[in-house]
Amino acid sequence: MSKVTLKQLLEEGCQCLEQQEIPDARVDAWLLLSHVFHLRRVDYLIRPDAKAGEVLAETYRDCIRRRARHIPLQHITGEQEFMGFSFKVNEHVLIPRQDTEVLVECVLEHMSGKSSGSVLDMCTGSGCILLSLMAMKPWAVGHGADLSDQALCVARENELRIRKQVQRPSFGASQPRIRWIQSDLFENISDKYDIIVSNPPYIPSEQIRTLMPEVKSYEPVMALDGSGDGLAFYRRIVRDAPEHLSAGGMLFFEIGWDQAEAVSRLLKDRGFDRIHVKKDLAGLDRVVYASWME
Ligand code: GLN
């Protein structure tokens, strides 16, 4: 047993992260302590002076050193919560963002009251969008497409992981209702769907270098970079989606806060109807969706 207590260790962690100007240093130092020692907040508050085991204390210090180098917290813990589920993440996928929950909620609203239907999640990454939808709508068929094989490996692992968290027979392994497809956008997609949802890379290339180090140095550039004006993926998806939508099918996009007008225009020019914009919790434009009536 080392002499160090949990409280001392936490203070040490805080100081180290503050010195390196890690945003929310105190929160991250606590989350790493909780992760390494499997502690709930209440366990810590009851016994902050409990002695920390030597091995775990060293593990904690190692996690703190990594976070101090701006490695994202989620790459150290290996997970991120999204829609109430815990998803595995690593350097091959975008870390699920809370903003994206607005996109999922929007799709869920349009699925409510139905009892059959199919969804394609284009640029699925960790699979967080598709798997959240499938967990909540057990009758739906869902395909997730991504260019990256490494991302699809994570998505497949997440399928097993979410199945354990849902514990509903309808999420069972025997039903091939979820499929992962390696594809450069629609290249290897042959089906038609009732819903296509996508959170594609949408950051203009020259803005990537202005992002926080956690994002620009550790998250996959291919999940962020929307090329010149950030709209490259929207253009290609809007162009090809109608071929893969059933009549009356819907296309849902997550967008950057200043892209609603441009993306709505792309949809309008391609012949989409009923174009809507939805805001996130911060009041910024975050989702654009539209119907394909032909
Ligand atoms: N669909 C995934 C997400 O929303 C990945 C998005 C991406 O790689 N741009 O988290």
Side-chain angles (χ1 to χ4, degrees), residues 94-97 100 121 123-126 128-129 146 199-201 223-224:
L94 192 77
I95 299 168
R97 305 296 206 264
T100 305
D121 176 15
C123 308
T124 195
S126 64
C128 65
I129 297 173
D146 206 287
N199 175 22
L224 299 166

